[in-house]
Amino acid sequence: MSDPVLALDGAAYEGYVSVAEAPLHGMITLRSDLSAEKLKTALKSVLGLAVPRPRAVLENEEHSAAWMAPDELLLFVPYEMVEGVVVQLLEGLGHVHSLVVNVSDAQAVFTLQGGALREVIAKLAPVDSAPGQIEPGELRRTRFGQCAAAFWLLSDDAAKIICFRSVARYMFDQLKAAATPGHEVGIWS
């Protein structure tokens, strides 16, 4: 088995908002009936998290659970633990109809840092990113330019963006262009 590598070798850009490829994340797609008691119990015992409400992300010190659709969660765990977590979830779910898949190497994750990150998002995604329309802990599935992606605000000046690894270079380049000094729009300031 080969060693895991980042899609862009940790690319980073310092603009009026910082853009960086995040370190490797363990990511698991979990599809099932999100109201099933066995699912709730398995998620709580394995990750220490409840099922998030629609468009929410729940986090603790080590793990995150992001609501992606009425029957889908995206789980974040330390990269080196992902296979063990998949096994534990499958054991906990038992015969509950579900899909539990390690998607860590199919995705790329980027971080945005800076007070104007909502503006950078607004330039690229058809989502109202104004304060009051999306707040920290909320997730949106959308498009950034021509890329399917999801993002959530960690705080008012930090966000994560997830896209397919195959479009990581395109995503990074468009985020970098949107965050270039001198290209500020000045909305919400």
Side-chain angles (χ1 to χ4, degrees), residues 7 20 35 56 59 63 82 88 93 100 108-109 116 120-121 132 134-136 145 147 152-153 165 173-174 180 183 188:
S35 66
E59 300 178 273
H63 310 109
V82 71
Q88 289 178 309
L93 287 165
V100 182
V109 180
V120 170
I121 291 167
I134 184 166
E135 295 299 326
C147 295
W152 77 90
L153 300 180
R165 184 182 181 100
D173 288 348
Q174 67 179 344
T180 298
H183 295 178
W188 307 307

Side-chain angles (χ1 to χ4, degrees), residues 16 115-116 118-120 122-123 178 180 182-189:
Y16 73 92
R118 290 175 185 270
E119 178 178 300
V120 170
K123 288 179 180 181
T180 298
H183 295 178
E184 299 89 344
V185 178
I187 53 179
W188 307 307
S189 54

